[in-house]
Amino acid sequence: MIGDAAAEAAKLRAELEMSQRELAQARRQLEEQAERAAAHEVAQRRLRQLATRLDQRLTRSESVSGVRGWLKRRQLSTMPRTEEDDALAVLRSSSLMKGAWYLTRYPEVVSTGLSPALHYLRVGAAQHKDPGPAFNTRKYLAQHPDLPRDVNPLVHFHAANPGPAA
């Protein structure tokens, strides 16, 4: 009986040691995951900051007026055309157009040199890109099948729903 109890105790100690090793290994893995997650969060925060600054810089560079603005518009395809001004103003004032979000969601836009608002106006909507997380271009176009191709969905939304969403 005593021998059985001692054997049982030894077996339990071995299982306890094994469980402790497994727990220590699980803790190490959890700590490594937490470190990677923290590094990822820092990188995401930095990406959002850079996207915000880039959006601001691209928007500012498109907002040149006077003779200088006229020359830039004539020479650069990255400048808004006069006929785009009204629609661009609607997009830029819209709380649904999130420039930094747009740049991080669609990083290929950066290489165009266009601001997020101008890109969405010219090509983004036609490519069914969303201007921000709260506006679904595909869904809006499906709900409005009669919308002409040359009318931007978000501009149309604001024309049809004037008010606090802008």
Side-chain angles (χ1 to χ4, degrees), residues 91 96-97 101-103 105-110 112 116 119-133 135-141 152-154:
L91 293 177
L96 299 173
M97 180 75 217
W101 180 90
Y102 193 83
L103 289 172
R105 178 75 183 259
Y106 311 110
E108 69 277 8
V109 171
V110 174
T112 67
H119 184 274
Y120 182 71
L121 179 66
R122 286 189 182 168
V123 295
Q127 295 172 345
H128 299 131
K129 292 183 182 336
D130 296 328
F135 187 86
N136 186 312
T137 301
R138 235 180 247 286
K139 184 176 176 183
Y140 192 81
L141 290 171
N152 184 277
L154 185 54

PDB file of all heavy atoms in Angstrom, residues 91 96-97 101-103 105-110 112 116 119-133 135-141 152-154:
ATOM      1  N   LEU A  91     -16.597  66.091 -51.666  1.00  0.00           N
ATOM      2  CA  LEU A  91     -15.864  64.950 -51.120  1.00  0.00           C
ATOM      3  C   LEU A  91     -14.970  65.358 -49.956  1.00  0.00           C
ATOM      4  O   LEU A  91     -14.922  64.679 -48.931  1.00  0.00           O
ATOM      5  CB  LEU A  91     -15.019  64.278 -52.208  1.00  0.00           C
ATOM      6  CG  LEU A  91     -15.788  63.575 -53.320  1.00  0.00           C
ATOM      7  CD1 LEU A  91     -14.828  63.024 -54.364  1.00  0.00           C
ATOM      8  CD2 LEU A  91     -16.663  62.472 -52.763  1.00  0.00           C
ATOM      9  N   LEU A  96     -17.677  61.185 -44.607  1.00  0.00           N
ATOM     10  CA  LEU A  96     -17.587  59.807 -45.092  1.00  0.00           C
ATOM     11  C   LEU A  96     -16.321  59.563 -45.921  1.00  0.00           C
ATOM     12  O   LEU A  96     -15.958  58.413 -46.162  1.00  0.00           O
ATOM     13  CB  LEU A  96     -18.825  59.459 -45.921  1.00  0.00           C
ATOM     14  CG  LEU A  96     -20.145  59.543 -45.156  1.00  0.00           C
ATOM     15  CD1 LEU A  96     -21.325  59.358 -46.112  1.00  0.00           C
ATOM     16  CD2 LEU A  96     -20.194  58.523 -44.041  1.00  0.00           C
ATOM     17  N   MET A  97     -15.665  60.642 -46.359  1.00  0.00           N
ATOM     18  CA  MET A  97     -14.413  60.532 -47.113  1.00  0.00           C
ATOM     19  C   MET A  97     -13.270  60.593 -46.116  1.00  0.00           C
ATOM     20  O   MET A  97     -13.023  61.626 -45.503  1.00  0.00           O
ATOM     21  CB  MET A  97     -14.305  61.682 -48.123  1.00  0.00           C
ATOM     22  CG  MET A  97     -13.035  61.653 -48.962  1.00  0.00           C
ATOM     23  SD  MET A  97     -13.110  60.388 -50.233  1.00  0.00           S
ATOM     24  CE  MET A  97     -11.437  59.811 -50.263  1.00  0.00           C
ATOM     25  N   TRP A 101      -7.547  56.688 -44.269  1.00  0.00           N
ATOM     26  CA  TRP A 101      -8.081  55.324 -44.368  1.00  0.00           C
ATOM     27  C   TRP A 101      -7.981  54.831 -45.814  1.00  0.00           C
ATOM     28  O   TRP A 101      -7.579  53.694 -46.075  1.00  0.00           O
ATOM     29  CB  TRP A 101      -9.536  55.310 -43.896  1.00  0.00           C
ATOM     30  CG  TRP A 101     -10.184  53.971 -43.950  1.00  0.00           C
ATOM     31  CD1 TRP A 101     -10.221  53.030 -42.972  1.00  0.00           C
ATOM     32  CD2 TRP A 101     -10.914  53.400 -45.061  1.00  0.00           C
ATOM     33  NE1 TRP A 101     -10.909  51.919 -43.395  1.00  0.00           N
ATOM     34  CE2 TRP A 101     -11.349  52.122 -44.670  1.00  0.00           C
ATOM     35  CE3 TRP A 101     -11.236  53.852 -46.339  1.00  0.00           C
ATOM     36  CZ2 TRP A 101     -12.086  51.288 -45.508  1.00  0.00           C
ATOM     37  CZ3 TRP A 101     -11.971  53.022 -47.178  1.00  0.00           C
ATOM     38  CH2 TRP A 101     -12.387  51.758 -46.771  1.00  0.00           C
ATOM     39  N   TYR A 102      -8.338  55.699 -46.761  1.00  0.00           N
ATOM     40  CA  TYR A 102      -8.313  55.365 -48.182  1.00  0.00           C
ATOM     41  C   TYR A 102      -6.894  54.979 -48.617  1.00  0.00           C
ATOM     42  O   TYR A 102      -6.702  53.987 -49.324  1.00  0.00           O
ATOM     43  CB  TYR A 102      -8.817  56.570 -48.980  1.00  0.00           C
ATOM     44  CG  TYR A 102      -9.140  56.313 -50.429  1.00  0.00           C
ATOM     45  CD1 TYR A 102     -10.371  55.779 -50.808  1.00  0.00           C
ATOM     46  CD2 TYR A 102      -8.253  56.664 -51.441  1.00  0.00           C
ATOM     47  CE1 TYR A 102     -10.696  55.579 -52.139  1.00  0.00           C
ATOM     48  CE2 TYR A 102      -8.569  56.473 -52.775  1.00  0.00           C
ATOM     49  CZ  TYR A 102      -9.786  55.927 -53.121  1.00  0.00           C
ATOM     50  OH  TYR A 102     -10.106  55.737 -54.443  1.00  0.00           O
ATOM     51  N   LEU A 103      -5.901  55.759 -48.164  1.00  0.00           N
ATOM     52  CA  LEU A 103      -4.517  55.474 -48.547  1.00  0.00           C
ATOM     53  C   LEU A 103      -4.006  54.171 -47.943  1.00  0.00           C
ATOM     54  O   LEU A 103      -3.243  53.442 -48.594  1.00  0.00           O
ATOM     55  CB  LEU A 103      -3.606  56.627 -48.130  1.00  0.00           C
ATOM     56  CG  LEU A 103      -3.774  57.918 -48.922  1.00  0.00           C
ATOM     57  CD1 LEU A 103      -2.963  59.043 -48.294  1.00  0.00           C
ATOM     58  CD2 LEU A 103      -3.393  57.728 -50.382  1.00  0.00           C
ATOM     59  N   ARG A 105      -5.953  51.610 -47.021  1.00  0.00           N
ATOM     60  CA  ARG A 105      -6.759  50.521 -47.592  1.00  0.00           C
ATOM     61  C   ARG A 105      -6.341  50.212 -49.031  1.00  0.00           C
ATOM     62  O   ARG A 105      -6.332  49.058 -49.461  1.00  0.00           O
ATOM     63  CB  ARG A 105      -8.238  50.926 -47.547  1.00  0.00           C
ATOM     64  CG  ARG A 105      -9.209  49.934 -48.135  1.00  0.00           C
ATOM     65  CD  ARG A 105      -9.384  48.754 -47.192  1.00  0.00           C
ATOM     66  NE  ARG A 105     -10.247  47.753 -47.720  1.00  0.00           N
ATOM     67  CZ  ARG A 105     -11.522  47.589 -47.386  1.00  0.00           C
ATOM     68  NH1 ARG A 105     -12.074  48.388 -46.501  1.00  0.00           N
ATOM     69  NH2 ARG A 105     -12.225  46.636 -47.920  1.00  0.00           N
ATOM     70  N   TYR A 106      -5.980  51.270 -49.774  1.00  0.00           N
ATOM     71  CA  TYR A 106      -5.596  51.137 -51.183  1.00  0.00           C
ATOM     72  C   TYR A 106      -4.215  51.769 -51.383  1.00  0.00           C
ATOM     73  O   TYR A 106      -4.097  52.871 -51.936  1.00  0.00           O
ATOM     74  CB  TYR A 106      -6.634  51.803 -52.095  1.00  0.00           C
ATOM     75  CG  TYR A 106      -8.056  51.413 -51.781  1.00  0.00           C
ATOM     76  CD1 TYR A 106      -8.953  52.325 -51.217  1.00  0.00           C
ATOM     77  CD2 TYR A 106      -8.525  50.124 -52.029  1.00  0.00           C
ATOM     78  CE1 TYR A 106     -10.257  51.972 -50.924  1.00  0.00           C
ATOM     79  CE2 TYR A 106      -9.823  49.762 -51.726  1.00  0.00           C
ATOM     80  CZ  TYR A 106     -10.684  50.689 -51.181  1.00  0.00           C
ATOM     81  OH  TYR A 106     -11.984  50.338 -50.883  1.00  0.00           O
ATOM     82  N   PRO A 107      -3.150  51.108 -50.948  1.00  0.00           N
ATOM     83  CA  PRO A 107      -1.818  51.719 -51.004  1.00  0.00           C
ATOM     84  C   PRO A 107      -1.335  52.052 -52.416  1.00  0.00           C
ATOM     85  O   PRO A 107      -0.485  52.921 -52.591  1.00  0.00           O
ATOM     86  CB  PRO A 107      -0.911  50.682 -50.338  1.00  0.00           C
ATOM     87  CG  PRO A 107      -1.691  49.424 -50.276  1.00  0.00           C
ATOM     88  CD  PRO A 107      -3.142  49.778 -50.362  1.00  0.00           C
ATOM     89  N   GLU A 108      -1.897  51.406 -53.422  1.00  0.00           N
ATOM     90  CA  GLU A 108      -1.488  51.701 -54.800  1.00  0.00           C
ATOM     91  C   GLU A 108      -1.847  53.129 -55.210  1.00  0.00           C
ATOM     92  O   GLU A 108      -1.292  53.675 -56.163  1.00  0.00           O
ATOM     93  CB  GLU A 108      -2.113  50.689 -55.775  1.00  0.00           C
ATOM     94  CG  GLU A 108      -3.621  50.803 -55.956  1.00  0.00           C
ATOM     95  CD  GLU A 108      -4.453  50.098 -54.885  1.00  0.00           C
ATOM     96  OE1 GLU A 108      -3.890  49.619 -53.875  1.00  0.00           O
ATOM     97  OE2 GLU A 108      -5.670  50.029 -55.055  1.00  0.00           O
ATOM     98  N   VAL A 109      -2.762  53.759 -54.488  1.00  0.00           N
ATOM     99  CA  VAL A 109      -3.183  55.133 -54.788  1.00  0.00           C
ATOM    100  C   VAL A 109      -2.014  56.098 -54.590  1.00  0.00           C
ATOM    101  O   VAL A 109      -1.902  57.090 -55.311  1.00  0.00           O
ATOM    102  CB  VAL A 109      -4.391  55.537 -53.910  1.00  0.00           C
ATOM    103  CG1 VAL A 109      -4.718  57.009 -54.038  1.00  0.00           C
ATOM    104  CG2 VAL A 109      -5.598  54.686 -54.271  1.00  0.00           C
ATOM    105  N   VAL A 110      -1.133  55.800 -53.662  1.00  0.00           N
ATOM    106  CA  VAL A 110      -0.001  56.690 -53.375  1.00  0.00           C
ATOM    107  C   VAL A 110       0.819  56.939 -54.633  1.00  0.00           C
ATOM    108  O   VAL A 110       1.227  58.065 -54.906  1.00  0.00           O
ATOM    109  CB  VAL A 110       0.878  56.103 -52.245  1.00  0.00           C
ATOM    110  CG1 VAL A 110       2.128  56.930 -52.038  1.00  0.00           C
ATOM    111  CG2 VAL A 110       0.082  55.999 -50.953  1.00  0.00           C
ATOM    112  N   THR A 112      -0.065  57.203 -57.606  1.00  0.00           N
ATOM    113  CA  THR A 112      -0.713  58.038 -58.619  1.00  0.00           C
ATOM    114  C   THR A 112      -0.402  59.514 -58.415  1.00  0.00           C
ATOM    115  O   THR A 112      -0.543  60.309 -59.345  1.00  0.00           O
ATOM    116  CB  THR A 112      -2.244  57.862 -58.608  1.00  0.00           C
ATOM    117  OG1 THR A 112      -2.776  58.390 -57.380  1.00  0.00           O
ATOM    118  CG2 THR A 112      -2.639  56.410 -58.804  1.00  0.00           C
ATOM    119  N   PRO A 116      -6.447  61.397 -52.024  1.00  0.00           N
ATOM    120  CA  PRO A 116      -7.494  60.374 -51.952  1.00  0.00           C
ATOM    121  C   PRO A 116      -8.836  60.851 -52.517  1.00  0.00           C
ATOM    122  O   PRO A 116      -9.502  60.107 -53.235  1.00  0.00           O
ATOM    123  CB  PRO A 116      -7.591  60.074 -50.460  1.00  0.00           C
ATOM    124  CG  PRO A 116      -6.230  60.370 -49.946  1.00  0.00           C
ATOM    125  CD  PRO A 116      -5.763  61.556 -50.736  1.00  0.00           C
ATOM    126  N   HIS A 119      -8.557  60.996 -56.317  1.00  0.00           N
ATOM    127  CA  HIS A 119      -8.499  59.635 -56.854  1.00  0.00           C
ATOM    128  C   HIS A 119      -9.881  58.994 -56.823  1.00  0.00           C
ATOM    129  O   HIS A 119     -10.310  58.379 -57.796  1.00  0.00           O
ATOM    130  CB  HIS A 119      -7.496  58.783 -56.072  1.00  0.00           C
ATOM    131  CG  HIS A 119      -7.331  57.415 -56.648  1.00  0.00           C
ATOM    132  ND1 HIS A 119      -8.164  56.362 -56.307  1.00  0.00           N
ATOM    133  CD2 HIS A 119      -6.463  56.931 -57.575  1.00  0.00           C
ATOM    134  CE1 HIS A 119      -7.800  55.294 -56.986  1.00  0.00           C
ATOM    135  NE2 HIS A 119      -6.766  55.607 -57.757  1.00  0.00           N
ATOM    136  N   TYR A 120     -10.579  59.131 -55.694  1.00  0.00           N
ATOM    137  CA  TYR A 120     -11.914  58.541 -55.598  1.00  0.00           C
ATOM    138  C   TYR A 120     -12.852  59.169 -56.625  1.00  0.00           C
ATOM    139  O   TYR A 120     -13.660  58.478 -57.238  1.00  0.00           O
ATOM    140  CB  TYR A 120     -12.477  58.707 -54.184  1.00  0.00           C
ATOM    141  CG  TYR A 120     -13.835  58.072 -54.020  1.00  0.00           C
ATOM    142  CD1 TYR A 120     -13.987  56.700 -54.006  1.00  0.00           C
ATOM    143  CD2 TYR A 120     -14.983  58.857 -53.924  1.00  0.00           C
ATOM    144  CE1 TYR A 120     -15.230  56.101 -53.886  1.00  0.00           C
ATOM    145  CE2 TYR A 120     -16.236  58.260 -53.805  1.00  0.00           C
ATOM    146  CZ  TYR A 120     -16.351  56.893 -53.782  1.00  0.00           C
ATOM    147  OH  TYR A 120     -17.596  56.303 -53.678  1.00  0.00           O
ATOM    148  N   LEU A 121     -12.710  60.460 -56.844  1.00  0.00           N
ATOM    149  CA  LEU A 121     -13.561  61.147 -57.817  1.00  0.00           C
ATOM    150  C   LEU A 121     -13.280  60.654 -59.234  1.00  0.00           C
ATOM    151  O   LEU A 121     -14.203  60.354 -59.987  1.00  0.00           O
ATOM    152  CB  LEU A 121     -13.336  62.663 -57.738  1.00  0.00           C
ATOM    153  CG  LEU A 121     -14.145  63.513 -58.711  1.00  0.00           C
ATOM    154  CD1 LEU A 121     -15.632  63.416 -58.390  1.00  0.00           C
ATOM    155  CD2 LEU A 121     -13.686  64.965 -58.646  1.00  0.00           C
ATOM    156  N   ARG A 122     -12.012  60.564 -59.587  1.00  0.00           N
ATOM    157  CA  ARG A 122     -11.647  60.216 -60.968  1.00  0.00           C
ATOM    158  C   ARG A 122     -11.760  58.718 -61.269  1.00  0.00           C
ATOM    159  O   ARG A 122     -12.284  58.350 -62.317  1.00  0.00           O
ATOM    160  CB  ARG A 122     -10.218  60.665 -61.268  1.00  0.00           C
ATOM    161  CG  ARG A 122     -10.109  62.154 -61.446  1.00  0.00           C
ATOM    162  CD  ARG A 122      -8.753  62.538 -61.951  1.00  0.00           C
ATOM    163  NE  ARG A 122      -8.637  63.974 -62.081  1.00  0.00           N
ATOM    164  CZ  ARG A 122      -7.495  64.597 -62.290  1.00  0.00           C
ATOM    165  NH1 ARG A 122      -6.374  63.910 -62.398  1.00  0.00           N
ATOM    166  NH2 ARG A 122      -7.473  65.906 -62.396  1.00  0.00           N
ATOM    167  N   VAL A 123     -11.233  57.869 -60.402  1.00  0.00           N
ATOM    168  CA  VAL A 123     -11.187  56.444 -60.730  1.00  0.00           C
ATOM    169  C   VAL A 123     -11.641  55.508 -59.618  1.00  0.00           C
ATOM    170  O   VAL A 123     -12.068  54.399 -59.882  1.00  0.00           O
ATOM    171  CB  VAL A 123      -9.772  56.014 -61.191  1.00  0.00           C
ATOM    172  CG1 VAL A 123      -9.384  56.676 -62.483  1.00  0.00           C
ATOM    173  CG2 VAL A 123      -8.741  56.289 -60.123  1.00  0.00           C
ATOM    174  N   GLY A 124     -11.512  55.931 -58.384  1.00  0.00           N
ATOM    175  CA  GLY A 124     -11.796  55.046 -57.264  1.00  0.00           C
ATOM    176  C   GLY A 124     -13.220  54.529 -57.233  1.00  0.00           C
ATOM    177  O   GLY A 124     -13.460  53.338 -57.021  1.00  0.00           O
ATOM    178  N   ALA A 125     -14.179  55.418 -57.444  1.00  0.00           N
ATOM    179  CA  ALA A 125     -15.583  54.994 -57.420  1.00  0.00           C
ATOM    180  C   ALA A 125     -15.870  54.008 -58.555  1.00  0.00           C
ATOM    181  O   ALA A 125     -16.573  53.021 -58.357  1.00  0.00           O
ATOM    182  CB  ALA A 125     -16.505  56.201 -57.506  1.00  0.00           C
ATOM    183  N   ALA A 126     -15.295  54.275 -59.728  1.00  0.00           N
ATOM    184  CA  ALA A 126     -15.499  53.373 -60.871  1.00  0.00           C
ATOM    185  C   ALA A 126     -14.888  51.998 -60.599  1.00  0.00           C
ATOM    186  O   ALA A 126     -15.356  50.992 -61.132  1.00  0.00           O
ATOM    187  CB  ALA A 126     -14.902  53.978 -62.136  1.00  0.00           C
ATOM    188  N   GLN A 127     -13.857  51.965 -59.762  1.00  0.00           N
ATOM    189  CA  GLN A 127     -13.222  50.700 -59.386  1.00  0.00           C
ATOM    190  C   GLN A 127     -13.886  50.085 -58.153  1.00  0.00           C
ATOM    191  O   GLN A 127     -13.387  49.115 -57.595  1.00  0.00           O
ATOM    192  CB  GLN A 127     -11.735  50.933 -59.102  1.00  0.00           C
ATOM    193  CG  GLN A 127     -10.948  51.366 -60.299  1.00  0.00           C
ATOM    194  CD  GLN A 127      -9.516  51.782 -59.942  1.00  0.00           C
ATOM    195  OE1 GLN A 127      -9.180  52.014 -58.780  1.00  0.00           O
ATOM    196  NE2 GLN A 127      -8.681  51.865 -60.957  1.00  0.00           N
ATOM    197  N   HIS A 128     -14.982  50.687 -57.723  1.00  0.00           N
ATOM    198  CA  HIS A 128     -15.754  50.245 -56.555  1.00  0.00           C
ATOM    199  C   HIS A 128     -14.959  50.309 -55.252  1.00  0.00           C
ATOM    200  O   HIS A 128     -15.189  49.526 -54.345  1.00  0.00           O
ATOM    201  CB  HIS A 128     -16.340  48.845 -56.760  1.00  0.00           C
ATOM    202  CG  HIS A 128     -17.279  48.789 -57.911  1.00  0.00           C
ATOM    203  ND1 HIS A 128     -17.192  47.827 -58.878  1.00  0.00           N
ATOM    204  CD2 HIS A 128     -18.313  49.576 -58.276  1.00  0.00           C
ATOM    205  CE1 HIS A 128     -18.126  48.026 -59.788  1.00  0.00           C
ATOM    206  NE2 HIS A 128     -18.827  49.090 -59.442  1.00  0.00           N
ATOM    207  N   LYS A 129     -14.028  51.257 -55.180  1.00  0.00           N
ATOM    208  CA  LYS A 129     -13.318  51.483 -53.928  1.00  0.00           C
ATOM    209  C   LYS A 129     -14.243  52.272 -53.005  1.00  0.00           C
ATOM    210  O   LYS A 129     -15.076  53.034 -53.465  1.00  0.00           O
ATOM    211  CB  LYS A 129     -12.029  52.269 -54.171  1.00  0.00           C
ATOM    212  CG  LYS A 129     -10.972  51.493 -54.953  1.00  0.00           C
ATOM    213  CD  LYS A 129      -9.708  52.292 -55.097  1.00  0.00           C
ATOM    214  CE  LYS A 129      -8.602  51.659 -55.878  1.00  0.00           C
ATOM    215  NZ  LYS A 129      -8.502  50.257 -56.016  1.00  0.00           N
ATOM    216  N   ASP A 130     -14.100  52.076 -51.716  1.00  0.00           N
ATOM    217  CA  ASP A 130     -14.898  52.813 -50.740  1.00  0.00           C
ATOM    218  C   ASP A 130     -14.109  54.026 -50.266  1.00  0.00           C
ATOM    219  O   ASP A 130     -12.901  53.929 -50.027  1.00  0.00           O
ATOM    220  CB  ASP A 130     -15.230  51.920 -49.536  1.00  0.00           C
ATOM    221  CG  ASP A 130     -16.098  50.730 -49.925  1.00  0.00           C
ATOM    222  OD1 ASP A 130     -16.909  50.868 -50.862  1.00  0.00           O
ATOM    223  OD2 ASP A 130     -15.966  49.669 -49.285  1.00  0.00           O
ATOM    224  N   PRO A 131     -14.771  55.186 -50.107  1.00  0.00           N
ATOM    225  CA  PRO A 131     -14.063  56.392 -49.673  1.00  0.00           C
ATOM    226  C   PRO A 131     -13.721  56.376 -48.185  1.00  0.00           C
ATOM    227  O   PRO A 131     -12.891  57.147 -47.723  1.00  0.00           O
ATOM    228  CB  PRO A 131     -15.046  57.515 -49.993  1.00  0.00           C
ATOM    229  CG  PRO A 131     -16.386  56.858 -49.884  1.00  0.00           C
ATOM    230  CD  PRO A 131     -16.181  55.449 -50.375  1.00  0.00           C
ATOM    231  N   GLY A 132     -14.365  55.519 -47.451  1.00  0.00           N
ATOM    232  CA  GLY A 132     -14.146  55.386 -46.014  1.00  0.00           C
ATOM    233  C   GLY A 132     -14.895  54.166 -45.524  1.00  0.00           C
ATOM    234  O   GLY A 132     -15.671  53.550 -46.272  1.00  0.00           O
ATOM    235  N   PRO A 133     -14.704  53.812 -44.278  1.00  0.00           N
ATOM    236  CA  PRO A 133     -15.337  52.591 -43.766  1.00  0.00           C
ATOM    237  C   PRO A 133     -16.853  52.684 -43.632  1.00  0.00           C
ATOM    238  O   PRO A 133     -17.526  51.658 -43.560  1.00  0.00           O
ATOM    239  CB  PRO A 133     -14.675  52.398 -42.404  1.00  0.00           C
ATOM    240  CG  PRO A 133     -14.196  53.751 -42.014  1.00  0.00           C
ATOM    241  CD  PRO A 133     -13.853  54.458 -43.290  1.00  0.00           C
ATOM    242  N   PHE A 135     -18.994  54.097 -45.886  1.00  0.00           N
ATOM    243  CA  PHE A 135     -19.720  54.234 -47.156  1.00  0.00           C
ATOM    244  C   PHE A 135     -19.287  53.109 -48.078  1.00  0.00           C
ATOM    245  O   PHE A 135     -18.109  52.989 -48.420  1.00  0.00           O
ATOM    246  CB  PHE A 135     -19.425  55.588 -47.809  1.00  0.00           C
ATOM    247  CG  PHE A 135     -20.262  55.858 -49.041  1.00  0.00           C
ATOM    248  CD1 PHE A 135     -21.523  56.407 -48.921  1.00  0.00           C
ATOM    249  CD2 PHE A 135     -19.787  55.551 -50.303  1.00  0.00           C
ATOM    250  CE1 PHE A 135     -22.299  56.656 -50.057  1.00  0.00           C
ATOM    251  CE2 PHE A 135     -20.554  55.793 -51.432  1.00  0.00           C
ATOM    252  CZ  PHE A 135     -21.809  56.350 -51.310  1.00  0.00           C
ATOM    253  N   ASN A 136     -20.256  52.296 -48.511  1.00  0.00           N
ATOM    254  CA  ASN A 136     -19.980  51.158 -49.378  1.00  0.00           C
ATOM    255  C   ASN A 136     -20.394  51.521 -50.803  1.00  0.00           C
ATOM    256  O   ASN A 136     -21.581  51.593 -51.127  1.00  0.00           O
ATOM    257  CB  ASN A 136     -20.759  49.935 -48.883  1.00  0.00           C
ATOM    258  CG  ASN A 136     -20.396  48.687 -49.645  1.00  0.00           C
ATOM    259  OD1 ASN A 136     -20.360  48.679 -50.871  1.00  0.00           O
ATOM    260  ND2 ASN A 136     -20.131  47.627 -48.919  1.00  0.00           N
ATOM    261  N   THR A 137     -19.405  51.778 -51.641  1.00  0.00           N
ATOM    262  CA  THR A 137     -19.653  52.208 -53.020  1.00  0.00           C
ATOM    263  C   THR A 137     -20.445  51.168 -53.802  1.00  0.00           C
ATOM    264  O   THR A 137     -21.421  51.495 -54.484  1.00  0.00           O
ATOM    265  CB  THR A 137     -18.321  52.511 -53.729  1.00  0.00           C
ATOM    266  OG1 THR A 137     -17.644  53.543 -53.003  1.00  0.00           O
ATOM    267  CG2 THR A 137     -18.537  52.953 -55.164  1.00  0.00           C
ATOM    268  N   ARG A 138     -20.046  49.918 -53.714  1.00  0.00           N
ATOM    269  CA  ARG A 138     -20.735  48.835 -54.438  1.00  0.00           C
ATOM    270  C   ARG A 138     -22.215  48.769 -54.050  1.00  0.00           C
ATOM    271  O   ARG A 138     -23.086  48.663 -54.906  1.00  0.00           O
ATOM    272  CB  ARG A 138     -20.068  47.512 -54.092  1.00  0.00           C
ATOM    273  CG  ARG A 138     -19.593  46.738 -55.265  1.00  0.00           C
ATOM    274  CD  ARG A 138     -18.934  45.442 -54.811  1.00  0.00           C
ATOM    275  NE  ARG A 138     -17.524  45.396 -55.078  1.00  0.00           N
ATOM    276  CZ  ARG A 138     -17.012  45.213 -56.283  1.00  0.00           C
ATOM    277  NH1 ARG A 138     -17.789  45.048 -57.310  1.00  0.00           N
ATOM    278  NH2 ARG A 138     -15.711  45.184 -56.462  1.00  0.00           N
ATOM    279  N   LYS A 139     -22.461  48.823 -52.771  1.00  0.00           N
ATOM    280  CA  LYS A 139     -23.833  48.742 -52.274  1.00  0.00           C
ATOM    281  C   LYS A 139     -24.653  49.950 -52.743  1.00  0.00           C
ATOM    282  O   LYS A 139     -25.796  49.809 -53.171  1.00  0.00           O
ATOM    283  CB  LYS A 139     -23.812  48.671 -50.743  1.00  0.00           C
ATOM    284  CG  LYS A 139     -25.163  48.498 -50.112  1.00  0.00           C
ATOM    285  CD  LYS A 139     -25.014  48.351 -48.603  1.00  0.00           C
ATOM    286  CE  LYS A 139     -26.352  48.280 -47.916  1.00  0.00           C
ATOM    287  NZ  LYS A 139     -26.225  48.207 -46.459  1.00  0.00           N
ATOM    288  N   TYR A 140     -24.047  51.139 -52.682  1.00  0.00           N
ATOM    289  CA  TYR A 140     -24.758  52.350 -53.105  1.00  0.00           C
ATOM    290  C   TYR A 140     -25.096  52.277 -54.596  1.00  0.00           C
ATOM    291  O   TYR A 140     -26.201  52.624 -55.008  1.00  0.00           O
ATOM    292  CB  TYR A 140     -23.921  53.601 -52.810  1.00  0.00           C
ATOM    293  CG  TYR A 140     -24.725  54.878 -52.965  1.00  0.00           C
ATOM    294  CD1 TYR A 140     -25.569  55.308 -51.951  1.00  0.00           C
ATOM    295  CD2 TYR A 140     -24.649  55.627 -54.131  1.00  0.00           C
ATOM    296  CE1 TYR A 140     -26.320  56.456 -52.089  1.00  0.00           C
ATOM    297  CE2 TYR A 140     -25.394  56.784 -54.275  1.00  0.00           C
ATOM    298  CZ  TYR A 140     -26.228  57.201 -53.253  1.00  0.00           C
ATOM    299  OH  TYR A 140     -26.986  58.334 -53.411  1.00  0.00           O
ATOM    300  N   LEU A 141     -24.138  51.826 -55.395  1.00  0.00           N
ATOM    301  CA  LEU A 141     -24.394  51.702 -56.833  1.00  0.00           C
ATOM    302  C   LEU A 141     -25.472  50.650 -57.116  1.00  0.00           C
ATOM    303  O   LEU A 141     -26.291  50.825 -58.023  1.00  0.00           O
ATOM    304  CB  LEU A 141     -23.103  51.365 -57.574  1.00  0.00           C
ATOM    305  CG  LEU A 141     -22.071  52.493 -57.633  1.00  0.00           C
ATOM    306  CD1 LEU A 141     -20.754  51.972 -58.201  1.00  0.00           C
ATOM    307  CD2 LEU A 141     -22.588  53.670 -58.438  1.00  0.00           C
ATOM    308  N   ASN A 152     -20.345  60.713 -59.338  1.00  0.00           N
ATOM    309  CA  ASN A 152     -19.684  60.044 -58.229  1.00  0.00           C
ATOM    310  C   ASN A 152     -20.725  59.634 -57.183  1.00  0.00           C
ATOM    311  O   ASN A 152     -21.551  60.451 -56.782  1.00  0.00           O
ATOM    312  CB  ASN A 152     -18.641  60.981 -57.613  1.00  0.00           C
ATOM    313  CG  ASN A 152     -17.856  60.319 -56.526  1.00  0.00           C
ATOM    314  OD1 ASN A 152     -18.305  60.260 -55.393  1.00  0.00           O
ATOM    315  ND2 ASN A 152     -16.671  59.821 -56.872  1.00  0.00           N
ATOM    316  N   PRO A 153     -20.694  58.388 -56.722  1.00  0.00           N
ATOM    317  CA  PRO A 153     -21.705  57.912 -55.768  1.00  0.00           C
ATOM    318  C   PRO A 153     -21.761  58.710 -54.463  1.00  0.00           C
ATOM    319  O   PRO A 153     -22.852  59.006 -53.969  1.00  0.00           O
ATOM    320  CB  PRO A 153     -21.290  56.468 -55.485  1.00  0.00           C
ATOM    321  CG  PRO A 153     -20.404  56.095 -56.603  1.00  0.00           C
ATOM    322  CD  PRO A 153     -19.779  57.335 -57.120  1.00  0.00           C
ATOM    323  N   LEU A 154     -20.624  59.081 -53.910  1.00  0.00           N
ATOM    324  CA  LEU A 154     -20.632  59.828 -52.650  1.00  0.00           C
ATOM    325  C   LEU A 154     -21.143  61.256 -52.862  1.00  0.00           C
ATOM    326  O   LEU A 154     -21.879  61.782 -52.032  1.00  0.00           O
ATOM    327  CB  LEU A 154     -19.244  59.837 -52.013  1.00  0.00           C
ATOM    328  CG  LEU A 154     -19.140  60.473 -50.626  1.00  0.00           C
ATOM    329  CD1 LEU A 154     -20.140  59.853 -49.647  1.00  0.00           C
ATOM    330  CD2 LEU A 154     -17.723  60.338 -50.087  1.00  0.00           C
TER     331      LEU A 154
END
